[in-house]
Amino acid sequence: MLTIVTGLPRSGTSLMMQLLHAAQHPIYSDQRREQDQHNPNGYFECEAVKGIVKNNQFLHEADAHAIKIVAPLVQYLDLSLNYRVIFMERSIDEVLQSQAVMIGKNPGLSQAQLAPIFSQHVEKSKQFLSAHAIPTLVVAHQHLLNNAPETLQQLIDFCELSCTVETLLPIIDPSLYRNRIQS
């Protein structure tokens, strides 16, 4: 069983990978992208994911591991493998704000133009997972931060992890939730 951690960039996928790492779930990462001020605890990415459209054979090497794959690329999974998916959700406005901060400027398209595109990526990915009956745990970023014990227990149960909620709680650092949209 391969565990896919997905969502839009800046939706909490790195945090989820950090949680899985703390739970001693094997992680498939080449560690090329080092931690920085935007992700001080690391990204846990694999460069091969960027080429998944043309070549998804690396997924066979990642079996029994957790791997991070951004939502728009989920549709390129090798369907001969068994998966479970942790789908991170975060407010599109917060995702766009976080990305703008990360790249240090406003993106070429306005947030109003990007929001429907990002929403479409999320919906298309969810439709793919549903159509192929891939077990999926949707984790709302804000719910993880505000209701950590409940959400972590769901994660432990879904991934059949042999750790406790108390083991994972220290991984969640609310001070890193820096790009909030006030409601």
Side-chain angles (χ1 to χ4, degrees):
M1 174 82 57
L2 184 55
T3 303
I4 305 294
V5 174
T6 194
L8 293 172
R10 311 303 300 159
S11 65
T13 54
S14 294
L15 172 57
M16 183 54 64
M17 293 295 284
Q18 293 159 21
L19 288 165
L20 291 170
H21 179 72
Q24 299 185 352
H25 189 299
I27 303 295
Y28 193 79
S29 170
D30 57 21
Q31 297 298 323
R32 284 189 190 176
R33 188 169 184 189
E34 295 180 3
Q35 61 198 49
D36 58 25
Q37 73 271 22
H38 303 291
N39 244 343
N41 297 320
Y43 288 90
F44 293 89
E45 294 180 352
C46 180
E47 194 73 20
V49 170
K50 293 178 182 177
I52 196 171
V53 174
K54 293 182 180 179
N55 181 0
N56 62 12
Q57 291 304 300
F58 66 91
L59 293 171
H60 292 268
E61 298 170 15
D63 195 30
H65 288 72
I67 187 169
K68 183 164 65 166
I69 300 176
V70 292
L73 299 180
V74 166
Q75 64 186 316
Y76 298 101
L77 294 176
D78 179 344
L79 293 174
S80 71
L81 298 172
N82 292 320
Y83 303 99
R84 67 177 152 227
V85 173
I86 303 166
F87 203 115
M88 297 300 296
E89 286 188 329
R90 185 175 179 188
S91 152
I92 298 289
D93 292 334
E94 287 186 359
V95 165
L96 291 169
Q97 179 177 314
S98 182
Q99 286 184 337
V101 168
M102 188 170 175
I103 62 174
K105 60 180 179 179
N106 286 325
L109 295 173
S110 73
Q111 288 190 1
Q113 292 169 305
L114 286 172
I117 295 169
F118 278 35
S119 294
Q120 185 178 27
H121 285 315
V122 168
E123 189 57 35
K124 192 173 184 180
S125 298
K126 286 182 175 179
Q127 287 173 356
F128 173 86
L129 296 169
S130 177
H132 296 285
I134 298 172
T136 302
L137 174 67
V138 176
V139 176
H141 180 261
Q142 195 165 20
H143 194 267
L144 174 59
L145 297 175
N146 295 335
N147 301 293
E150 175 188 341
T151 307
L152 292 173
Q153 189 60 58
Q154 291 171 346
L155 173 67
I156 289 167
D157 295 343
F158 182 71
C159 292
E160 302 173 356
L161 300 171
S162 58
C163 69
T164 64
V165 167
E166 290 72 27
T167 302
L168 301 180
L169 276 172
I171 304 305
I172 300 172
D173 182 354
S175 73
L176 296 177
Y177 183 23
R178 298 168 286 208
N179 295 290
R180 301 173 195 238
I181 302 295
Q182 301 299 326
S183 43

